[in-house]
Structure formats: structure tokens, C-alpha cells
Amino acid sequence: MRHGKYPFIIGFLAVPVALYATFVVAAYIQTFQLSVASWSGFGPIKYVGFDNFVKLWNDDLFWKSLRHNGYLLLLLPIVTIALGLLFAFLLNVGGGSKGGMTRGVWGSKFYRVIFFFPQLMALAIVAVIFGRVFASDKSGMINGLLPDSWAPWLFLADERWALTCILVVLVWQAVGFYVVLFSAGMGSIEHEIYEAAALDGATRVTLFFRITLPLLWGTIQTAWVYLGIAAFDAFALINIMTVDRGGPDGATSVLAMMIYRNTFEYSQVGYASALGVVLFFLTLTFAALTLRVTRRDAV
């Protein structure tokens, strides 16, 4: 029986691993290959060494896009995790104790469904809806509510507001998932711990910072990595909400947008691949540093 275990496992893994190697690993290898080449997507490939990376280093739009990714990387995890923890705490522990049992606020099961609802919507639909909400003319929902004498707010056509609008939509779309994730983590915490702390006179703030937060740290760490990866992307929202609506050139550009444009609009596949390599190492470095810096001993 023991002798037949490994062929059985290999038989199940062979097809998924082969598919992963074909469509993921091979694509990464080809991207690294094309990053040192000049290629339009058709015809012969001409290898140019590190010219694409030199061009990237001197490209002002690259640095602007990188700053935009940094802005999302800084705020998206912080805001989403803070809101997710707040709502999850209220839904699980915020109602205080009754009959010696801690409970969430009234209607917490209903609120869980409401918070998770944005996750059921396709990202393209979310982008179209909020594109109309933040539209920079009177057809937009927010501008349509303003008095006729007021000039419309240029939400998606003003560099000062456009990226913030993208951040708001990213948080709105993501926070429900992390409410459910953190709620599941809080559900695994023994209620006796909360009850003992409550008997000792601990307030809700003390319960959160001294019990909930330390016991949820591993889940928070994972959420931070996931949200950081999302902050390095944001392509779909930006492409639908701003580019298609005449947003200012580069006002909301991110690295993923540059990769798309250089590939499909400018036919500079080699340069786009160099951008992809940079994005790959940035994401990998962020994930590794986050897991290293936020590592704590298990409680």
C-alpha cells in the first residue's frame, strides 16, 4: 500500500503540473527572453541586450507609473485591512456579551452577505458602474446631484482626483472579501478568551488590540500580501474607468497599463516584456519583504 502511494500522487499531479509548466513557467521564461530583444510581435526577433532596461530607466512615464503603483501599494492594504478588521470585529464581537457569550452586532449575518456582495460582481461591471458614478460631466451620478450652477467635478479627468477614485473603488470591491476572511479567523478564536478578558474589565478596544489582533496576525499578513499584489495590478479598473473616458495621459498610468499599451498599441513587445520583468521582481520583492518584516512568533 505504501509502495503504491507515490505513483498515485504523481498520477494526480502530472496533468496540473504539466499545464502549469506549459502556460505559466514557459510564459515567464519567454518574457525574460523577449525582455532583451526588440520585437514587434511579428517577424524576426532582434536581441539588443539591456537596451530595453536602459530605455525604461530613462522613461519618465515609467517612473510616474511606478509612483502611482507605490501610492496604491501604500494605501490599499492599510485602508482595506483596517476597514475589514473593524467590520469583522463588529460582526463577531462588537455586540458585547449576553448570557456569558460574546456576540456580534444585531443583524451580523445579514451584514456579512451585504459586505461580500461586491465580490460577486465582475470587475468590468464594477468599473463601468463607478465610471458613471465618477463621470466628469453632469451625466455622472455625483455631478448630477450638484446644483446646475456648480461646475462639474473632474473626478476622472483631473490627475489630483483620478487615482484616488481608483483607490476608492479598489477598497470598495475588496473589503467584503477580507471582512469574511477576518470573520472566519475570529470565529476560530475561543470565546472563552474573550469572556475571561471581559470578566477582567477589558473594553472592546482592549479586546481588539490585545486579543483579536495578535491571534489574527497570520491572516493579516496574508491579506497584506494579496492586497499588495492587487495594488501592482489595478489594470482593469484603470483601463475601463479612465482611459476609455478620456482621462489625462499618464494621470493614472500604472506598470500593468504600460505593459498593455506597449504590447497591443505600440507593438513594442520587447519593451513591454522588460516592464513585465521589472513588475515580476517588484512583486516578488514586496511579498518576500512583507512576510519577513511582519513575521511574528505564533501566539
Side-chain angles (χ1 to χ4, degrees), residues 183-213:
S183 294
M186 291 179 189
S188 66
I189 300 175
E190 296 291 340
H191 284 280
E192 288 79 3
I193 299 176
Y194 286 115
E195 292 160 15
L199 289 174
D200 288 337
T203 64
R204 293 179 187 179
V205 175
T206 304
L207 288 175
F208 178 78
F209 285 103
R210 294 299 181 88
I211 295 177
T212 304
L213 203 60

Side-chain angles (χ1 to χ4, degrees), residues 87-88 91-92 105-121 172-181 183:
F87 293 142
L91 294 178
N92 287 274
V105 297
W106 182 85
S108 57
K109 293 182 179 179
F110 172 74
Y111 292 138
R112 283 193 183 96
V113 175
I114 297 300
F115 281 129
F116 193 74
F117 178 73
Q119 286 292 314
L120 304 179
M121 301 176 66
W172 179 87
Q173 199 269 339
V175 72
F177 173 80
Y178 292 97
V179 169
V180 174
L181 180 66
S183 294

Side-chain angles (χ1 to χ4, degrees), residues 7 16 28 38 40 57 61 86 108 112 122 146 160 167 177 185 199 210:
Y28 279 130
S38 176
S40 65
W57 182 266
L61 184 59
L86 173 63
S108 57
R112 283 193 183 96
L146 299 177
R160 296 171 298 176
L167 175 65
F177 173 80
L199 289 174
R210 294 299 181 88

Side-chain angles (χ1 to χ4, degrees), residues 64-284:
K64 190 173 187 178
S65 300
L66 191 60
R67 287 197 301 270
H68 293 163
N69 276 120
Y71 172 82
L72 295 176
L73 183 63
L74 175 66
L75 293 180
L76 179 61
I78 293 175
V79 176
T80 305
I81 290 175
L83 290 175
L85 284 172
L86 173 63
F87 293 142
F89 185 77
L90 292 175
L91 294 178
N92 287 274
V93 188
S97 59
K98 184 178 181 180
M101 293 291 292
T102 55
R103 57 190 177 90
V105 297
W106 182 85
S108 57
K109 293 182 179 179
F110 172 74
Y111 292 138
R112 283 193 183 96
V113 175
I114 297 300
F115 281 129
F116 193 74
F117 178 73
Q119 286 292 314
L120 304 179
M121 301 176 66
L123 195 58
I125 296 175
V126 173
V128 170
I129 291 173
F130 277 94
R132 299 312 307 160
V133 170
F134 292 120
S136 302
D137 51 36
K138 287 296 184 179
S139 67
M141 191 185 81
I142 296 178
N143 278 317
L145 297 174
L146 299 177
D148 293 336
S149 58
W150 289 24
W153 288 9
L154 305 178
F155 291 107
L156 299 177
D158 189 329
E159 187 169 355
R160 296 171 298 176
W161 290 101
L163 203 63
T164 302
C165 292
I166 297 297
L167 175 65
V168 169
V169 180
L170 283 170
V171 171
W172 179 87
Q173 199 269 339
V175 72
F177 173 80
Y178 292 97
V179 169
V180 174
L181 180 66
F182 295 145
S183 294
M186 291 179 189
S188 66
I189 300 175
E190 296 291 340
H191 284 280
E192 288 79 3
I193 299 176
Y194 286 115
E195 292 160 15
L199 289 174
D200 288 337
T203 64
R204 293 179 187 179
V205 175
T206 304
L207 288 175
F208 178 78
F209 285 103
R210 294 299 181 88
I211 295 177
T212 304
L213 203 60
L215 292 176
L216 273 184
W217 192 254
T219 307
I220 295 170
Q221 186 184 49
T222 303
W224 204 290
V225 173
Y226 285 169
L227 286 165
I229 294 173
F232 276 118
D233 183 14
F235 165 76
L237 285 180
I238 292 174
N239 187 46
I240 297 172
M241 286 181 62
T242 62
V243 175
D244 289 351
R245 295 185 178 277
D249 185 35
T252 54
S253 178
V254 291
L255 294 181
M257 178 63 71
M258 287 189 67
I259 293 171
Y260 172 82
R261 281 184 163 174
N262 279 281
T263 302
F264 296 105
E265 294 182 12
Y266 310 142
S267 297
Q268 297 181 1
V269 179
Y271 187 55
S273 298
L275 288 165
V277 169
V278 170
L279 183 59
F280 170 79
F281 281 112
L282 285 174
T283 307
L284 197 64

